[in-house]
Amino acid sequence: MSDIAQFWIAESFFSLGEYETALKEYDTLINKYPKSDKIADAFLSKADTFLKLDRQIEAISHLKYVINQFPDSAVAQKAAEKLKTLGE
């Protein structure tokens, strides 16, 4: 459950508009809990965070990563939809 808590910590910072801190917290989840069920969500949320920071290249990279690494997931479908809205 620690991994899920870590995800929601990151999401909380995102909701507060503290995007740099949110990125760090998503990375903590990714690095500390690499087998977590929330990894795909963390990468998708990182993409959203990069978009908020006007870092579109990094956002696109993360969206493509989600699609490639988790191709049959609902998260990959969301990533593909976001890529379309970005013209990718």
Side-chain angles (χ1 to χ4, degrees):
M1 299 283 288
S2 297
D3 59 326
I4 295 168
Q6 182 62 47
F7 177 78
W8 288 109
I9 289 168
E11 290 283 287
S12 296
F13 282 112
F14 179 88
S15 295
L16 292 170
E18 295 182 28
Y19 302 122
E20 294 293 343
T21 304
L23 286 175
K24 290 176 188 172
E25 296 299 334
Y26 290 124
D27 283 338
T28 298
L29 169 66
I30 291 164
N31 294 321
K32 195 170 181 181
Y33 307 101
K35 304 283 187 203
S36 172
D37 291 339
K38 297 304 269 180
I39 293 294
D41 294 293
F43 277 102
L44 182 65
S45 292
K46 279 187 71 174
D48 289 337
T49 307
F50 283 130
L51 289 172
K52 291 287 189 183
L53 293 169
D54 293 322
R55 292 163 60 179
Q56 188 167 341
I57 293 170
E58 290 161 295
I60 290 169
S61 173
H62 278 69
L63 293 170
K64 288 180 178 179
Y65 180 83
V66 169
I67 292 166
N68 290 328
Q69 295 299 310
F70 311 97
D72 298 323
S73 69
V75 179
Q77 186 175 5
K78 290 178 187 175
E81 290 169 10
K82 286 182 188 278
L83 278 176
K84 284 181 187 175
T85 65
L86 296 171
E88 290 289 315

